[in-house]
Amino acid sequence: MADPEGRAALSRTARIDLLVVADMVKPKSRVLDVGCGDGTLLRLLAEERGVDARGIELSQHGVNDCVAKGLSVVQGDADTDLADYPDDAFDYVILSQTLQATRQPRKVLEHMLRIGRHAIVSFPNFGHWRIRAQIAFKGQMPVTDSLAVAWYETPNIHLCTIRDFLALAHAIGAKTERGIALDRFGSPMLVNAPWWMWNLLGDQAVFRLSRKG
């Protein structure tokens, strides 16, 4: 376990959506972080929540970063390798800012709910009014803080709105346990705000899902 000052420093430097994700995870649980990048979330969960943290990451550079931090991470592709995990292997399966970069988002989400009791997903909201405005008035694909790469270089191939994501969750029979929309400054929006407001003003969103029944 890291010292308190080290944990506080890590919390201050982590992306705001990762802090929201970590808050949705119960301590001492089993967690798989899909597309874990450099391991920031895994480290946060291990030190703040005391979880059994595992990760899967596509890039060798990301895997190397994680291993250097003492994290248990393997190289793999969410689109193909989640099928190899057994049912109910984890309490939480997390996909942070990666769903829109997968080739088969529906299958990825279905596998997450198969191998985990809960699935936590964060993603940029393509329905934000600034994105709509850039398309409407400039006639170009938007570049924003949450979508910072030009269309010809972006890894994002399945961008969606908050409403799109909720429709997908409904289509696969998932239960929405908790949802949070963050504005462009990283502040949570009102929980009881209508969906259209989240879809229009939310810069990004985090949802925790589970299987029905």
Side-chain angles (χ1 to χ4, degrees):
M1 293 290 287
D3 60 272
E5 290 186 1
R7 291 196 299 270
L10 181 59
S11 296
R12 286 194 299 270
T13 57
R15 285 189 340 235
I16 184 64
D17 65 299
L18 298 187
L19 299 178
V20 174
V21 168
D23 188 53
M24 293 186 179
V25 175
K26 288 185 178 180
K28 308 298 182 182
S29 54
R30 299 165 300 160
V31 175
L32 176 66
D33 185 7
V34 181
C36 58
D38 64 1
T40 299
L41 177 59
L42 281 177
R43 185 180 171 197
L44 180 68
L45 288 169
E47 297 186 353
E48 296 279 353
R49 296 300 203 191
V51 306
D52 178 3
R54 308 295 176 92
I56 176 174
E57 167 57 30
L58 181 61
S59 74
Q60 185 62 57
H61 179 72
V63 173
N64 293 343
D65 283 346
C66 292
V67 172
K69 295 172 183 174
L71 300 170
S72 179
V73 173
V74 297
Q75 187 170 21
D77 187 337
D79 279 301
T80 57
D81 295 332
L82 290 183
D84 297 330
Y85 284 83
D87 295 356
D88 298 313
F90 297 91
D91 297 308
Y92 298 89
V93 180
I94 298 170
L95 195 68
S96 60
Q97 303 292 327
T98 304
L99 183 67
Q100 71 279 358
T102 62
R103 294 188 298 275
Q104 302 179 84
R106 176 170 180 152
K107 286 189 176 181
V108 169
L109 194 55
E110 287 174 336
H111 277 305
M112 290 173 66
L113 288 167
R114 176 185 61 80
I115 64 181
R117 294 176 55 240
H118 308 273
I120 301 177
V121 183
S122 71
F123 58 93
N125 174 33
F126 203 68
H128 190 275
W129 73 268
R130 288 180 178 273
I131 291 177
R132 301 187 196 196
Q134 286 192 40
I135 295 175
F137 296 111
K138 292 185 177 181
Q140 295 178 307
M141 286 294 288
V143 176
T144 66
D145 290 342
S146 57
L147 296 170
V149 183
W151 69 270
Y152 50 85
E153 296 178 325
T154 181
N156 300 320
I157 57 177
H158 285 116
L159 292 164
C160 69
T161 70
I162 291 175
R163 289 188 66 181
D164 288 328
F165 179 80
L166 290 171
L168 173 58
H170 177 75
I172 65 174
K175 176 183 177 182
T176 303
E177 295 183 330
R178 188 177 175 189
I180 295 176
L182 304 172
D183 64 23
R184 61 187 296 257
F185 303 106
S187 299
M189 296 177 61
L190 293 175
V191 174
N192 58 354
W195 288 120
W196 68 263
M197 186 175 293
W198 277 25
N199 206 46
L200 186 65
L201 302 178
D203 183 67
Q204 55 184 314
V206 183
F207 285 93
R208 187 177 70 200
L209 309 176
S210 64
R211 288 166 292 187
K212 289 184 178 179

